[in-house]
């Protein structure tokens, strides 16, 4: 890891995500009847790791465009080009310019 890369650290046994919010999201799944504290913690840590890796990949695409700020298009490029994020393809699609989008509609008529 390069010295210029920011790192997120939390003390052992804690998560950066609020436990109450994570628990509320888990309770929305009707197939899960109970979730213990250990499971809640592991789900929170796994979510943190997932978000961190997705953001790192998106940051690499922003660096290729010589920017330091991640934009939506960087995240969409990461989702499109990295196989492990294929399941996010419908949630984070590539943007389509308005001209191209309206041109396709006119061709279909």
């Amino acid at each position: 890891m390069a010295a210029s890369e920011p790192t997120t650290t939390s003390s052992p046994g804690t998560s950066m995500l609020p436990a109450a919010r994570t628990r509320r999201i888990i309770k929305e799944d009707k197939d899960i009847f109970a979730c213990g504290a250990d499971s809640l913690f592991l789900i929170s840590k796994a979510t943190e790791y997932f978000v961190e890796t997705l953001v790192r990949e998106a940051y690499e695409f922003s660096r290729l465009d010589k920017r330091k700020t991640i934009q939506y298009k960087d995240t969409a490029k990461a989702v499109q080009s990295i196989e492990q994020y294929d399941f996010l393809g419908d949630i984070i699609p590539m943007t389509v310019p308005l001209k191209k989008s309206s041109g396709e509609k006119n061709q279909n008529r």
Side-chain angles (χ1 to χ4, degrees):
M1 186 178 327
S4 64
E5 291 182 25
T7 59
T8 56
T9 58
S10 59
S11 58
T14 62
S15 173
M16 293 180 67
L17 299 174
R21 182 155 304 164
T22 305
R23 187 180 311 279
R24 190 175 325 132
I25 292 169
I26 292 169
K27 284 185 178 181
E28 290 296 317
D29 188 344
K30 302 300 180 201
D31 294 333
I32 300 174
F33 298 107
C35 183
D38 292 343
S39 299
L40 181 68
F41 173 72
L42 289 175
I43 291 168
S44 295
K45 291 306 273 188
T47 304
E48 285 179 31
Y49 178 74
F50 170 75
V51 170
E52 183 178 340
T53 56
L54 180 59
V55 169
R56 284 184 189 274
E57 296 294 344
Y59 180 68
E60 289 303 317
F61 283 99
S62 71
R63 285 186 48 204
L64 291 174
D65 288 342
K66 298 185 180 8
R67 288 181 285 108
K68 292 183 178 180
T69 305
I70 298 172
Q71 296 177 355
Y72 176 88
K73 64 182 179 180
D74 303 317
T75 307
K77 284 179 189 176
V79 167
Q80 182 183 24
S81 63
I82 300 170
E83 188 176 338
Q84 83 183 51
Y85 300 125
D86 280 348
F87 69 99
L88 292 173
D90 294 336
I91 299 169
I92 308 175
M94 291 295 291
T95 56
V96 178
L98 183 59
K99 287 182 180 181
K100 186 176 181 180
S101 176
S102 55
E104 290 175 1
K105 287 181 182 178
N106 291 336
Q107 289 177 357
N108 291 336
R109 289 184 185 187

